[in-house]
Amino acid sequence: YGQIKHSIKESESSMMMPTYRGAAFSTADTRYEKYSFEDMADKNLDKKTLGGWAAMLQHYFVSAWVPPANDQNTIFSSLSAGGLANIGFRGAIYDIAPGAEQTLSAQFYVGPKDQEALTAISESLNLVVDYGFLWWLAIPIHWLLMFYQSFVGNWGVAIILITLTVRGLLYPLTKAQYTSMAKMRNLQPKLADMKERFGDDRQKMGQAMMELYKKEKVNPMGGCLPILLQMPIFIALYWVLLESYELRHAPFMLWINDLSVQDPYYVLPLLMGVSMWLMQKMQPMAPTMDPMQVKMMQWMPVIFTVFFLWFPAGLVLYWLVGNLVAITQQKIIYAGLEKKGLK
């Protein structure tokens, strides 16, 4: 048998940085499944399988027992006295005749979540690099990040390049979003006039609004759809940067000596907050917007800045560069809209 013991500690994750510390396993029927310390307290694992593996995960690291793929094994877990969580495997029982020899083996890996090294051991072990439900999108983004780094030799510059690439590819959607929002703002006086004329008659108000949208060729959902299409890509990129062990101890420039920990002088988070505030100032508020909603929007840069004070510098750099690109794109798009008479 082989097992891994881990001291039970409180999770280091937060709402904005949901990193996992706990166990995981694989069987012939389940390629990858987490088994937290709380799960172990509720029930011990006892799963018979052909092959499989058992592991303990931390943010950037993994320890894993991988028995032979053709052996019949049992994946087990238990809690020991003194706050130790155990997960491991038990192999088949062998009878060895007097004077005979038999070799029993299993692979043990301990180290960073290196996808290439993990895949070489077991085709499913690389799943411990957990990108969530957007793994299919995160994998090519991670490949592109590695590709850029192989050329520039600096992970910070690679983050900047991949952010520029993603923002550039999504520019048509961004332009469609701001164009739709500008058209909707131009219709606000007419919509306010309709509200005065029809009062509480929602049916007539609704019909009049649809006729206006059709006449002006405006889609009221046009500003939301591009955002919905962009969000999966930005979320996948966020998870790639969060899970990439390569950023650990990776220097960027000047005072940023480790992209996996917070900026020691909080310069990047403060710059990110300023860039977010500029983005907000550049985007005109609709005159009909609720005052409470306006106040909440005004406080968002402050709230995000406070959150980002403790974020890894690599993630803050990604967000800052994304904001700067968005500001540039906004200026270009709004300049084009003003020529068309839209504000």
Side-chain angles (χ1 to χ4, degrees):
Y1 73 93
Q3 68 177 358
I4 307 163
K5 293 185 177 182
H6 196 296
S7 300
I8 297 176
K9 294 183 178 180
E10 290 185 10
S11 175
E12 299 170 354
S13 67
S14 64
M15 182 180 69
M16 300 295 281
M17 284 189 59
T19 56
Y20 176 70
R21 179 194 286 268
F25 67 92
S26 176
T27 66
D29 299 324
T30 305
R31 294 192 73 217
Y32 171 70
E33 186 170 330
K34 293 177 181 176
Y35 207 71
S36 68
F37 300 141
E38 290 80 10
D39 293 330
M40 290 185 186
D42 292 337
K43 184 181 179 182
N44 288 334
L45 271 174
D46 186 26
K47 290 185 176 285
K48 291 177 170 54
T49 180
L50 195 66
W53 51 259
M56 281 288 183
L57 280 59
Q58 292 176 252
H59 187 182
Y60 294 116
F61 299 96
V62 58
S63 303
W65 273 113
V66 185
N70 296 322
D71 284 8
Q72 192 67 39
N73 301 297
T74 300
I75 307 296
F76 71 89
S77 72
S78 63
L79 291 179
S80 303
L84 289 175
N86 308 327
I87 190 167
F89 78 95
R90 283 190 295 268
I93 296 174
Y94 292 89
D95 292 324
I96 304 173
E101 292 184 3
Q102 183 151 353
T103 301
L104 307 178
S105 65
Q107 285 185 282
F108 181 66
Y109 177 89
V110 56
K113 293 178 180 177
D114 184 328
Q115 294 189 51
E116 189 173 340
L118 295 170
T119 304
I121 297 171
S122 170
E123 63 176 14
S124 63
L125 191 55
N126 68 318
L127 296 176
V128 298
V129 183
D130 192 355
Y131 293 137
F133 69 98
L134 292 172
W135 59 268
W136 52 274
L137 193 55
I139 288 173
I141 291 175
H142 179 263
W143 178 88
L144 186 60
L145 181 68
M146 298 284 286
F147 174 78
Y148 280 142
Q149 198 278 336
S150 67
F151 276 97
V152 298
N154 184 299
W155 285 104
V157 177
I159 289 171
I160 293 171
L161 289 176
I162 200 168
T163 309
L164 292 173
T165 302
V166 170
R167 287 283 183 175
L169 291 173
L170 294 175
Y171 178 74
L173 290 175
T174 304
K175 185 176 180 180
Q177 172 193 341
Y178 287 129
T179 302
S180 179
M181 289 167 65
K183 287 181 178 179
M184 285 298 296
R185 280 195 300 272
N186 280 4
L187 291 182
Q188 290 304 316
K190 293 181 180 180
L191 292 172
D193 181 57
M194 283 182 185
K195 195 170 183 180
E196 284 187 13
R197 282 192 290 124
F198 297 114
D200 295 330
D201 194 333
R202 294 185 179 181
Q203 186 175 354
K204 287 185 178 179
M205 178 68 178
Q207 289 174 350
M209 285 173 63
M210 293 308 295
E211 288 175 7
L212 179 64
Y213 292 150
K214 189 175 180 181
K215 180 183 175 183
E216 300 290 339
K217 297 180 181 179
V218 174
N219 181 1
M221 297 300 292
C224 301
L225 185 59
I227 298 176
L228 294 175
L229 293 174
Q230 292 175 56
M231 283 305 293
I233 297 173
F234 291 131
I235 293 170
L237 180 54
Y238 168 85
W239 274 102
V240 166
L241 296 178
L242 187 65
E243 282 286 291
S244 295
Y245 83 92
E246 293 89 350
L247 299 185
R248 187 171 183 267
H249 297 322
F252 173 40
M253 59 185 294
L254 302 176
W255 70 95
I256 305 296
N257 298 315
D258 187 349
L259 287 164
S260 69
V261 299
Q262 69 189 61
D263 181 339
Y265 303 113
Y266 306 113
V267 176
L268 288 179
L270 292 174
L271 289 175
M272 190 283 303
V274 172
S275 67
M276 199 171 178
W277 177 79
L278 282 172
M279 281 177 63
Q280 196 180 85
K281 285 294 179 183
M282 287 176 62
Q283 192 168 328
M285 297 288 182
T288 56
M289 187 178 286
D290 184 82
M292 183 61 70
Q293 192 176 358
V294 172
K295 282 189 177 182
M296 286 180 63
M297 292 287 286
Q298 290 172 342
W299 276 99
M300 285 302 286
V302 177
I303 295 168
F304 266 72
T305 301
V306 173
F307 270 127
F308 276 61
L309 289 176
W310 293 276
F311 263 41
L315 281 170
V316 183
L317 177 64
Y318 145 64
W319 214 277
L320 170 61
V321 174
N323 285 353
L324 294 176
V325 175
I327 289 170
T328 305
Q329 289 179 341
Q330 278 188 39
K331 288 183 73 69
I332 294 169
I333 293 167
Y334 285 148
L337 291 175
E338 285 180 6
K339 289 180 181 179
K340 296 179 180 179
L342 295 173
K343 296 182 179 179

